[in-house]
Amino acid sequence: MSVDLSVEIAGVRLSNPILTASGTCGYGEELAELYDLSHLGGIVTKSITISPREGHPPPRTTETSAGMLNAIGLANVGVDRFITEKLAFLEKFRTVVVVNVAGAKLQEYVDICARLADCPRADMVELNFSCPNVEAGMEIAKSASLAEAAVREIKRVFPRPVIAKLSPNVTDITEIARACEAGGAGALALINTLVGMAVDIESRRPRLTNNTGGLSGPAIKPVALNMVHQVYNTVKIPVIGIGGIVNWQDAVEFFLCGATAVQVGTGLFVEPDAPLKIVRGLKKYLSDKKLNRVTELIGKVRKY
Amino acid sequence: MSKIVIGYSEIIKKTDLGRGNFIMEIAPFSKARNIKPGQFVHIRLPDTNVFFRRAFSIYDYSPEQKTIKIIFKVFGRGTKLLAGLHRGDRLDVLGPLGNGFRLPGRRETVILVAGGIGMPPIYLLAKILTEKGFDQKRLLYFYGGATRDDLVELKKIRQLGVRVYPATEDGSLGFRGLITGALVDVIDSRQGKFRMYACGPEGMLRAVDELAGKMGIPGQLSLEAPMPCGIGICLGCIKPLRVGGYTRICREGPVYEIGEVIL
Ligand SMILES: Cc1cc2nc3c(=O)[nH]c(=O)nc-3n(C[C@H](O)[C@H](O)[C@H](O)COP(=O)(O)OP(=O)(O)OC[C@H]3O[C@@H](n4cnc5c(N)ncnc54)[C@H](O)[C@@H]3O)c2cc1C
Ligand SMILES: Cc1cc2nc3c(=O)[nH]c(=O)nc-3n(C[C@H](O)[C@H](O)[C@H](O)COP(=O)(O)O)c2cc1C
Ligand code: FES
């Protein structure tokens, strides 16, 4: 029996529900040396900004229990080089390309998305309303009205689906989720990293030059699962689950909590081929459970 | 086909070299044919709570047996766990990663500088050069550590027939003091075209970089940085470049021209 892993997000068909998360797969070039990116349901590229950014000085990553802290600081090549080099490179793969966009103000998001509107290979954009490492994004991330207005503005210039990526560092994520839906988002992706800190007890200094960083990896999975579940019960648009996914069992948990697709982030650093293993594991799980489609799992968690 | 593999290998031999140093032989490693000195492997300790892989330079390899060897020193959680593993235990090995050294010209006198646990890539370079018929008398191998027991595998180095110049801070073997001291003495007493290769702690590399710059000796350094991914996707292992911007040690490195990186 062959199982159907395809899912639809805002009208875009993904051959399977496993994507790579922004900032953890570069622009696909390095992973393409290891395997054919066409095996991925989609690739979400590193956040791009209008101008290139070098990012924060080292050390900008550190290991923590079951995960890591990062303060990369949105290092990226800028939208021009992204379009001419990186997007062009991704042409050859049959996978959905989601371009993650970040900005210092709303206008920057709008300008970048307007440029991407003319690039058909940018199948969707994902708005990084949540990077804890730069000041601006967080403002939008924390305000329902700003988030709604931002999605609405961007929808005006970008003709294809817009995904809003949400931050867990807010009082009520469902409120922001509802606002993004009202603004016209085609889907929601959550969660981005949680603000965290680590200290070197010898030097008594934080382990990151930015002092704080974003916590990711298995350590944040329970938080992400709960938020995905809450948001799934709040909105009608698809939810994309992110946070600590490293194997197929993790992915199944997210589907059961309401995710239509998932993104693998930090897990890629340890197992660059994790998405392929997850696809294989998922197929076997579904056929063992005599299910035909992965979509049959969505939201099927049984509550006590 | 990819030049890099990810896969399970087994520890086929582990030897305790003392002072927390170990040699480990790992197999199978299917890319053992394509290894260049200076390249490294990224090792995951499965079924442990050490999250990231840990990077180790390739010390030696056998294309026929599909084996590789690493030498490591117990430093923190990961290396401590690694040291506690036994023959037959499984490791998840990703590699070979990074760029290797660019080999010297035949007429050059090669100065190899290994500091402590920076020894493995330097040894492999010396071995490859001798195998390629490079005149051993023009391979000057400087090897520094705090004390004589830090200079592991000295016998193997000597077997290459190269000129070995040990240096220890406590004077228990060879030159007393830092390796750069030994270096200056020997270079001053010789003539010709030199090329330098170094790997070791950052302080040593900084000193070598400065010295080579001052003496106008070209060459390469193999650098280290904490490496979450090892393949260039996390942007964690960076160092500033002299021309501005950052470089990823795992991808553009770990081998750089002398003077290229700000140490
Ligand atoms: C290219 C390269 C080649 C190397 N070759 C050798 C070799 O041949 N022999 C040898 O003995 N050593 C080698 N090293 C160093 C070796 O990788 C370290 O000794 C090892 O990572 C220390 O790990 P640990 O778990 O023992 O220490 P830990 O104490 O666990 O790690 C030290 C500190 O660094 C942090 N850390 C560890 N790994 C990472 C990471 N990837 N990213 C961010 N933070 C991290 C930890 O959180 C901790 O704070 C090499 C390193 C590199 C980069
Ligand atoms: C090193 C690193 C860089 C990241 N960069 C970005 C980024 O540029 N844009 C973004 O939206 N999220 C970024 N993220 C967040 C991830 O996409 C993801 O939301 C988060 O890490 C949680 O998932 P995980 O636990 O699977 O890693 C980054 C995460 C890491 C670890
Ligand atoms: S270790 Fe991830 S980019 Fe080098």
Side-chain angles (χ1 to χ4, degrees):
Chain A
M1 186 180 71
S2 87
V3 292
D4 182 4
L5 287 187
S6 70
V7 294
E8 203 180 290
I9 306 246
V12 177
R13 193 117 207 114
L14 277 66
S15 62
N16 70 63
I18 316 298
L19 300 94
T20 53
S22 178
T24 63
C25 55
Y27 309 102
E29 292 145 319
E30 295 83 6
L31 291 181
E33 290 176 5
L34 283 166
Y35 52 84
D36 182 355
L37 301 182
S38 306
H39 294 307
L40 299 171
I43 171 164
V44 188
T45 53
K46 172 80 189 163
S47 280
I48 49 162
T49 48
I50 276 281
S51 310
R53 286 173 61 103
E54 276 182 5
H56 295 309
R60 42 159 87 158
T61 58
T62 187
E63 192 180 45
T64 66
S65 316
M68 70 184 285
L69 283 172
N70 92 81
I72 303 293
L74 290 188
N76 79 96
V77 297
V79 68
D80 290 335
R81 262 186 75 196
F82 174 78
I83 290 173
T84 54
E85 289 172 27
K86 311 299 178 182
L87 210 48
F89 170 79
L90 289 169
E91 287 286 341
K92 23 181 204 280
F93 303 101
R94 273 175 294 110
T95 188
V96 170
V97 176
V98 182
V99 181
N100 184 298
V101 175
K105 341 189 242 311
L106 174 55
Q107 193 55 45
E108 193 175 336
Y109 286 91
V110 174
D111 291 345
I112 297 169
C113 292
R115 302 276 314 271
L116 292 169
D118 302 329
C119 309
R121 196 64 186 94
D123 297 306
M124 311 193 215
V125 294
E126 182 180 82
L127 308 174
N128 180 3
F129 283 163
S130 40
C131 184
N133 299 322
V134 290
E135 309 258 316
M138 270 321 281
E139 254 174 71
I140 303 178
K142 284 186 173 157
S143 156
S145 59
L146 285 183
E148 181 177 340
V151 176
R152 188 160 285 136
E153 279 296 299
I154 289 158
K155 284 281 296 175
R156 275 223 278 272
V157 300
F158 188 78
R160 294 176 295 279
V162 172
I163 302 170
K165 180 166 176 180
L166 307 183
S167 169
N169 304 307
V170 294
T171 40
D172 181 2
I173 197 166
T174 61
E175 194 193 326
I176 314 290
R178 236 180 283 123
C180 291
E181 182 179 41
L188 302 172
L190 55 143
I191 57 176
N192 208 314
T193 54
L194 289 139
V195 180
M197 201 166 166
V199 177
D200 178 0
I201 60 167
E202 297 304 323
S203 67
R204 300 190 186 184
R205 284 194 312 205
R207 287 189 186 274
L208 302 174
T209 54
N210 196 46
N211 299 310
T212 62
L215 178 66
S216 63
I220 71 167
K221 197 183 82 176
V223 176
L225 269 177
N226 177 47
M227 288 189 165
V228 164
H229 190 234
Q230 279 184 302
V231 169
Y232 170 73
N233 287 323
T234 307
V235 299
K236 296 204 170 58
I237 51 177
V239 176
I240 302 169
I242 321 167
I245 297 165
V246 300
N247 56 35
W248 65 265
Q249 291 93 332
D250 296 333
V252 169
E253 281 190 72
F254 273 86
F255 297 131
L256 292 173
C257 284
T260 298
V262 295
Q263 297 179 10
V264 182
T266 304
L268 293 173
F269 300 163
V270 184
E271 275 192 282
D273 59 345
L276 313 192
K277 290 184 183 154
I278 294 175
V279 165
R280 283 199 295 272
L282 199 53
K283 274 189 191 153
K284 182 162 187 314
Y285 174 78
L286 290 170
S287 68
D288 287 351
K289 298 282 175 219
K290 311 236 176 319
L291 295 172
N292 297 317
R293 292 186 185 79
V294 67
T295 48
E296 290 172 56
L297 295 174
I298 302 172
K300 292 293 157 54
V301 63
R302 294 190 191 129
K303 290 230 254 175
Y304 282 109
Chain B
M1 248 313 272
S2 170
K3 286 180 287 190
I4 305 168
V5 287
I6 325 172
Y8 283 104
S9 305
E10 222 178 87
I11 298 169
I12 55 173
K13 197 167 172 203
K14 184 184 92 175
T15 314
D16 189 340
L17 300 173
R19 291 233 339 148
N21 297 294
F22 293 86
I23 295 193
M24 209 170 243
E25 193 166 0
I26 299 164
F29 187 73
S30 64
K31 295 289 168 188
R33 196 165 292 281
N34 306 325
I35 291 167
K36 297 194 187 72
Q39 287 190 302
F40 65 96
V41 287
H42 218 21
I43 296 184
R44 185 172 180 209
L45 294 154
D47 314 317
T48 67
N49 61 356
V50 170
F51 187 64
F52 288 148
R53 290 172 183 268
R54 298 294 194 254
F56 299 96
S57 300
I58 297 166
Y59 166 60
D60 206 353
Y61 63 94
S62 157
E64 295 79 33
Q65 262 103 55
K66 292 193 191 312
T67 60
I68 54 169
K69 281 186 199 160
I70 59 168
I71 298 188
F72 64 92
K73 190 176 176 81
V74 173
F75 178 76
R77 285 190 324 134
T79 42
K80 191 170 169 193
L81 267 162
L82 193 61
L85 297 182
H86 302 287
R87 198 189 144 139
D89 284 340
R90 275 193 344 161
L91 295 172
D92 179 351
V93 183
L94 171 60
L97 299 173
N99 300 302
F101 291 110
R102 203 152 38 77
L103 301 189
R106 294 261 158 200
R107 295 181 176 281
E108 290 173 313
T109 296
V110 176
I111 302 166
L112 301 164
V113 192
I117 206 63
M119 173 271 198
I122 297 295
Y123 170 82
L124 188 55
L125 176 61
K127 185 181 163 196
I128 297 284
L129 287 175
T130 55
E131 278 174 7
K132 286 187 185 292
F134 202 95
D135 177 6
Q136 282 114 312
K137 288 197 202 64
R138 276 197 282 112
L139 284 173
L140 317 184
Y141 197 120
F142 292 84
Y143 190 6
T147 182
R148 65 180 302 155
D149 293 338
D150 284 336
L151 307 186
V152 298
E153 295 283 88
L154 250 183
K155 221 167 82 196
K156 289 270 295 211
I157 302 170
R158 291 214 158 100
Q159 277 166 7
L160 295 175
V162 303
R163 289 177 186 254
V164 187
Y165 301 87
T168 50
E169 284 167 51
D170 66 358
S172 52
L173 189 70
F175 181 88
R176 177 194 287 268
L178 296 175
I179 198 165
T180 35
L183 208 59
V184 176
D185 284 358
V186 174
I187 295 175
D188 280 350
S189 69
R190 284 183 160 245
Q191 285 181 343
K193 254 179 94 183
F194 296 103
R195 184 166 293 271
M196 196 159 349
Y197 297 89
C199 184
E202 191 152 304
M204 180 201 102
L205 290 179
R206 202 177 300 127
V208 168
D209 193 58
E210 219 180 279
L211 189 73
K214 248 190 263 159
M215 297 179 124
I217 300 175
Q220 294 184 310
L221 308 174
S222 179
L223 307 186
E224 260 190 31
M227 286 186 180
C229 77
I231 58 171
I233 55 176
C234 74
L235 308 183
C237 64
I238 53 152
K239 284 259 194 307
L241 284 168
R242 209 147 286 225
V243 294
Y246 292 116
T247 178
R248 293 169 296 182
I249 303 288
C250 71
R251 175 95 183 169
E252 283 83 41
V255 172
Y256 290 89
E257 297 301 318
I258 283 171
E260 197 180 352
V261 175
I262 303 176
L263 291 164

